[in-house]
Amino acid sequence: MEIKTAEYVISSPTVGMCPKDTKPEYAFIGRSNVGKSSLINMLTGNRKLAKTSATPGKTMLINHFIINKEWYLVDLPGYGFAKRSKKDLQRLEQMINGYILQREQLANVFLLVDVRLEAQKIDLEFIQWLGVSGIPFAIVFTKADKLSTGKVTQQVAAYKQVLSATWEELPPMFVTSAEKKQGKDELLDYVEQINRSLKDG
Ligand code: GTP
Ligand code: MG
């Protein structure tokens, strides 16, 4: 799929305040600083669309971007950022969990993990929660430009191994680099496939 238009729509503090129309949406979630906002910018070819930052904790609201006037990309705040107050952490957790559980037009969650790290407990817990909650998701490895191709393959294989201990069926996985524009076509084709199945369904 080609992205012809990508526009910022709104930033919402709660799921109840998100756009009211029912176009399908695709949310990006993962630890702070993993590269959610950067990936949205890479996919849309607009480096200024979603706000990114070298310091974790940049995204604080549920951000909707409308793509080709047909579907939404949703940038969520990261989880697991320790340097926040307990109150902020609770508020963000409620925001993220409420959005994921209540948003009926949520077609798929992209769970981002840094390809350089071994499987992190907090991500595995989140994956577990998505699975138990019946939320369709895919895993997106980010920052692939920081490792050699061989090492990336090793890391992905190791991640699959960890997931295989709990899951019979593995989720779709994508290797990406916002820096090198890697994984763009694969991710957008995946979205297109789901959009089509929703229309046909
Ligand atoms: P929060 O909104 O704080 O949760 O962070 P985020 O997940 O949206 O991360 P963001 O996109 O702001 O990126 C965090 C940092 O990682 C920035 O310094 C980015 O430039 C860098 N970064 C993101 N993606 C990549 C990538 O693919 N390659 C490299 N080398 N750096 C990346
Ligand atoms: Mg962000």
Side-chain angles (χ1 to χ4, degrees):
M1 173 181 12
E2 207 187 316
I3 292 195
K4 295 189 193 91
T5 59
E7 296 151 271
Y8 167 76
V9 178
I10 195 168
S11 300
S12 319
T14 65
V15 60
M17 293 169 86
C18 289
K20 293 285 176 269
D21 62 288
T22 55
K23 295 186 181 78
E25 54 195 54
Y26 297 82
F28 289 69
I29 185 73
R31 295 201 306 154
S32 269
N33 219 36
V34 71
K36 299 175 289 296
S37 303
S38 301
L39 187 62
I40 287 180
N41 291 345
M42 186 273 269
L43 292 174
T44 58
N46 180 347
R47 291 172 69 182
K48 292 195 176 134
L49 195 61
K51 291 199 181 72
T52 66
S53 167
T55 40
K58 180 73 185 171
T59 310
M60 291 286 280
L61 296 163
I62 304 166
N63 299 289
H64 276 75
F65 302 94
I66 183 97
I67 311 300
N68 294 347
K69 309 205 190 289
E70 275 185 355
W71 54 280
Y72 289 105
L73 277 177
V74 180
D75 192 14
L76 294 171
Y79 54 72
F81 178 44
K83 283 187 205 157
R84 285 197 207 273
S85 70
K86 210 171 182 183
K87 211 175 128 206
D88 269 355
L89 276 177
Q90 272 177 356
R91 188 180 66 80
L92 285 174
E93 190 177 310
Q94 268 178 21
M95 182 198 286
I96 294 167
N97 293 2
Y99 168 81
I100 290 178
L101 292 179
Q102 291 165 43
R103 191 74 172 160
E104 281 178 26
Q105 53 275 65
L106 179 59
N108 185 77
V109 170
F110 288 111
L111 177 78
L112 277 60
V113 296
D114 188 323
V115 75
R116 293 170 296 175
L117 306 178
E118 62 185 64
Q120 303 285 297
K121 184 159 174 265
I122 191 163
D123 295 325
L124 294 173
E125 283 171 0
F126 202 84
I127 289 168
Q128 184 73 21
W129 179 76
L130 287 172
V132 169
S133 307
I135 308 290
F137 68 97
I139 295 180
V140 176
F141 296 95
T142 64
K143 311 194 183 184
D145 56 284
K146 300 247 192 191
L147 295 179
S148 68
T149 314
K151 187 72 190 165
V152 166
T153 307
Q154 267 180 34
Q155 291 290 93
V156 173
Y159 214 99
K160 283 184 180 163
Q161 184 122 41
V162 171
L163 288 184
S164 299
T166 327
W167 300 96
E168 229 165 85
E169 204 183 323
L170 294 177
M173 293 184 183
F174 300 93
V175 174
T176 68
S177 160
E179 198 86 3
K180 294 265 158 68
K181 299 193 172 27
Q182 183 185 345
K184 178 175 173 173
D185 292 345
E186 290 82 355
L187 265 178
L188 291 179
D189 285 351
Y190 178 69
V191 167
E192 185 171 29
Q193 203 184 307
I194 298 175
N195 278 343
R196 206 174 290 149
S197 73
L198 289 172
K199 260 189 200 154
D200 296 345

PDB file of all heavy atoms in Angstrom, residues 10 23 38 42-43 48 62 86-87 110 117 128 130 135:
ATOM      1  N   ILE A  10      -5.989  14.250  16.287  1.00  0.00           N
ATOM      2  CA  ILE A  10      -6.278  14.695  17.647  1.00  0.00           C
ATOM      3  C   ILE A  10      -5.450  13.906  18.659  1.00  0.00           C
ATOM      4  O   ILE A  10      -5.062  12.774  18.400  1.00  0.00           O
ATOM      5  CB  ILE A  10      -7.801  14.518  17.939  1.00  0.00           C
ATOM      6  CG1 ILE A  10      -8.234  15.301  19.180  1.00  0.00           C
ATOM      7  CG2 ILE A  10      -8.187  13.055  18.053  1.00  0.00           C
ATOM      8  CD1 ILE A  10      -9.743  15.401  19.352  1.00  0.00           C
ATOM      9  N   LYS A  23     -13.532   4.023  11.539  1.00  0.00           N
ATOM     10  CA  LYS A  23     -12.496   3.535  10.618  1.00  0.00           C
ATOM     11  C   LYS A  23     -11.519   2.641  11.388  1.00  0.00           C
ATOM     12  O   LYS A  23     -11.257   2.884  12.564  1.00  0.00           O
ATOM     13  CB  LYS A  23     -11.743   4.721  10.024  1.00  0.00           C
ATOM     14  CG  LYS A  23     -12.599   5.622   9.150  1.00  0.00           C
ATOM     15  CD  LYS A  23     -11.732   6.686   8.492  1.00  0.00           C
ATOM     16  CE  LYS A  23     -12.544   7.619   7.638  1.00  0.00           C
ATOM     17  NZ  LYS A  23     -13.262   8.635   8.439  1.00  0.00           N
ATOM     18  N   SER A  38       8.881   7.385  15.897  1.00  0.00           N
ATOM     19  CA  SER A  38       9.788   7.369  14.736  1.00  0.00           C
ATOM     20  C   SER A  38       9.279   6.433  13.648  1.00  0.00           C
ATOM     21  O   SER A  38       9.383   6.733  12.454  1.00  0.00           O
ATOM     22  CB  SER A  38      11.190   6.909  15.156  1.00  0.00           C
ATOM     23  OG  SER A  38      11.715   7.758  16.149  1.00  0.00           O
ATOM     24  N   MET A  42       8.356   7.223   9.815  1.00  0.00           N
ATOM     25  CA  MET A  42       8.982   6.498   8.711  1.00  0.00           C
ATOM     26  C   MET A  42       7.923   5.956   7.757  1.00  0.00           C
ATOM     27  O   MET A  42       8.006   6.111   6.540  1.00  0.00           O
ATOM     28  CB  MET A  42       9.857   5.377   9.275  1.00  0.00           C
ATOM     29  CG  MET A  42      10.667   4.636   8.245  1.00  0.00           C
ATOM     30  SD  MET A  42       9.779   3.277   7.504  1.00  0.00           S
ATOM     31  CE  MET A  42      10.228   1.919   8.581  1.00  0.00           C
ATOM     32  N   LEU A  43       6.886   5.339   8.321  1.00  0.00           N
ATOM     33  CA  LEU A  43       5.842   4.729   7.484  1.00  0.00           C
ATOM     34  C   LEU A  43       5.123   5.773   6.638  1.00  0.00           C
ATOM     35  O   LEU A  43       4.757   5.521   5.499  1.00  0.00           O
ATOM     36  CB  LEU A  43       4.816   3.989   8.355  1.00  0.00           C
ATOM     37  CG  LEU A  43       5.315   2.735   9.075  1.00  0.00           C
ATOM     38  CD1 LEU A  43       4.239   2.196   9.999  1.00  0.00           C
ATOM     39  CD2 LEU A  43       5.747   1.664   8.088  1.00  0.00           C
ATOM     40  N   LYS A  48       8.039  14.806  10.680  1.00  0.00           N
ATOM     41  CA  LYS A  48       7.540  15.708  11.717  1.00  0.00           C
ATOM     42  C   LYS A  48       6.136  15.363  12.182  1.00  0.00           C
ATOM     43  O   LYS A  48       5.538  16.083  12.970  1.00  0.00           O
ATOM     44  CB  LYS A  48       7.574  17.145  11.194  1.00  0.00           C
ATOM     45  CG  LYS A  48       8.987  17.634  11.000  1.00  0.00           C
ATOM     46  CD  LYS A  48       9.056  19.127  10.849  1.00  0.00           C
ATOM     47  CE  LYS A  48      10.498  19.585  10.755  1.00  0.00           C
ATOM     48  NZ  LYS A  48      10.707  20.542   9.672  1.00  0.00           N
ATOM     49  N   ILE A  62      -3.059   9.763  23.614  1.00  0.00           N
ATOM     50  CA  ILE A  62      -3.424   8.873  22.515  1.00  0.00           C
ATOM     51  C   ILE A  62      -3.515   9.741  21.259  1.00  0.00           C
ATOM     52  O   ILE A  62      -4.390  10.594  21.162  1.00  0.00           O
ATOM     53  CB  ILE A  62      -4.794   8.205  22.777  1.00  0.00           C
ATOM     54  CG1 ILE A  62      -4.772   7.454  24.110  1.00  0.00           C
ATOM     55  CG2 ILE A  62      -5.184   7.296  21.625  1.00  0.00           C
ATOM     56  CD1 ILE A  62      -6.167   7.042  24.614  1.00  0.00           C
ATOM     57  N   LYS A  86       4.304   8.098  40.440  1.00  0.00           N
ATOM     58  CA  LYS A  86       3.406   6.960  40.532  1.00  0.00           C
ATOM     59  C   LYS A  86       2.046   7.313  39.935  1.00  0.00           C
ATOM     60  O   LYS A  86       1.423   6.508  39.252  1.00  0.00           O
ATOM     61  CB  LYS A  86       3.246   6.571  42.010  1.00  0.00           C
ATOM     62  CG  LYS A  86       2.985   5.104  42.199  1.00  0.00           C
ATOM     63  CD  LYS A  86       3.044   4.739  43.655  1.00  0.00           C
ATOM     64  CE  LYS A  86       2.824   3.237  43.816  1.00  0.00           C
ATOM     65  NZ  LYS A  86       2.811   2.838  45.221  1.00  0.00           N
ATOM     66  N   LYS A  87       1.627   8.536  40.188  1.00  0.00           N
ATOM     67  CA  LYS A  87       0.329   8.998  39.698  1.00  0.00           C
ATOM     68  C   LYS A  87       0.308   9.021  38.167  1.00  0.00           C
ATOM     69  O   LYS A  87      -0.649   8.561  37.540  1.00  0.00           O
ATOM     70  CB  LYS A  87       0.059  10.403  40.255  1.00  0.00           C
ATOM     71  CG  LYS A  87      -1.402  10.696  40.478  1.00  0.00           C
ATOM     72  CD  LYS A  87      -1.588  12.055  41.144  1.00  0.00           C
ATOM     73  CE  LYS A  87      -2.568  12.866  40.333  1.00  0.00           C
ATOM     74  NZ  LYS A  87      -2.373  14.310  40.485  1.00  0.00           N
ATOM     75  N   PHE A 110       0.505  -3.071  17.139  1.00  0.00           N
ATOM     76  CA  PHE A 110       1.903  -3.361  16.849  1.00  0.00           C
ATOM     77  C   PHE A 110       2.683  -3.164  18.138  1.00  0.00           C
ATOM     78  O   PHE A 110       2.769  -2.041  18.653  1.00  0.00           O
ATOM     79  CB  PHE A 110       2.438  -2.424  15.757  1.00  0.00           C
ATOM     80  CG  PHE A 110       1.904  -2.739  14.394  1.00  0.00           C
ATOM     81  CD1 PHE A 110       1.032  -1.871  13.755  1.00  0.00           C
ATOM     82  CD2 PHE A 110       2.269  -3.911  13.737  1.00  0.00           C
ATOM     83  CE1 PHE A 110       0.530  -2.161  12.487  1.00  0.00           C
ATOM     84  CE2 PHE A 110       1.773  -4.210  12.475  1.00  0.00           C
ATOM     85  CZ  PHE A 110       0.904  -3.329  11.846  1.00  0.00           C
ATOM     86  N   LEU A 117      17.824  -5.953  22.346  1.00  0.00           N
ATOM     87  CA  LEU A 117      17.663  -6.491  23.703  1.00  0.00           C
ATOM     88  C   LEU A 117      17.075  -7.889  23.702  1.00  0.00           C
ATOM     89  O   LEU A 117      16.273  -8.229  22.840  1.00  0.00           O
ATOM     90  CB  LEU A 117      16.731  -5.569  24.512  1.00  0.00           C
ATOM     91  CG  LEU A 117      17.114  -4.095  24.568  1.00  0.00           C
ATOM     92  CD1 LEU A 117      16.069  -3.316  25.358  1.00  0.00           C
ATOM     93  CD2 LEU A 117      18.494  -3.917  25.174  1.00  0.00           C
ATOM     94  N   GLN A 128       1.536 -11.283  26.981  1.00  0.00           N
ATOM     95  CA  GLN A 128       0.661 -12.220  27.689  1.00  0.00           C
ATOM     96  C   GLN A 128      -0.741 -11.608  27.861  1.00  0.00           C
ATOM     97  O   GLN A 128      -1.752 -12.233  27.584  1.00  0.00           O
ATOM     98  CB  GLN A 128       1.293 -12.526  29.061  1.00  0.00           C
ATOM     99  CG  GLN A 128       0.565 -13.562  29.877  1.00  0.00           C
ATOM    100  CD  GLN A 128       0.771 -14.965  29.307  1.00  0.00           C
ATOM    101  OE1 GLN A 128       1.717 -15.213  28.573  1.00  0.00           O
ATOM    102  NE2 GLN A 128      -0.129 -15.873  29.630  1.00  0.00           N
ATOM    103  N   LEU A 130      -2.093  -9.125  26.154  1.00  0.00           N
ATOM    104  CA  LEU A 130      -2.769  -8.981  24.852  1.00  0.00           C
ATOM    105  C   LEU A 130      -3.395 -10.309  24.439  1.00  0.00           C
ATOM    106  O   LEU A 130      -4.540 -10.356  24.001  1.00  0.00           O
ATOM    107  CB  LEU A 130      -1.769  -8.525  23.776  1.00  0.00           C
ATOM    108  CG  LEU A 130      -1.290  -7.083  23.825  1.00  0.00           C
ATOM    109  CD1 LEU A 130      -0.167  -6.869  22.803  1.00  0.00           C
ATOM    110  CD2 LEU A 130      -2.421  -6.093  23.565  1.00  0.00           C
ATOM    111  N   ILE A 135      -6.604  -9.654  21.979  1.00  0.00           N
ATOM    112  CA  ILE A 135      -6.325  -8.513  21.104  1.00  0.00           C
ATOM    113  C   ILE A 135      -5.355  -8.968  20.005  1.00  0.00           C
ATOM    114  O   ILE A 135      -4.270  -9.461  20.316  1.00  0.00           O
ATOM    115  CB  ILE A 135      -5.660  -7.363  21.896  1.00  0.00           C
ATOM    116  CG1 ILE A 135      -6.476  -6.998  23.139  1.00  0.00           C
ATOM    117  CG2 ILE A 135      -5.403  -6.156  21.001  1.00  0.00           C
ATOM    118  CD1 ILE A 135      -7.792  -6.328  22.889  1.00  0.00           C
TER     119      ILE A 135
END
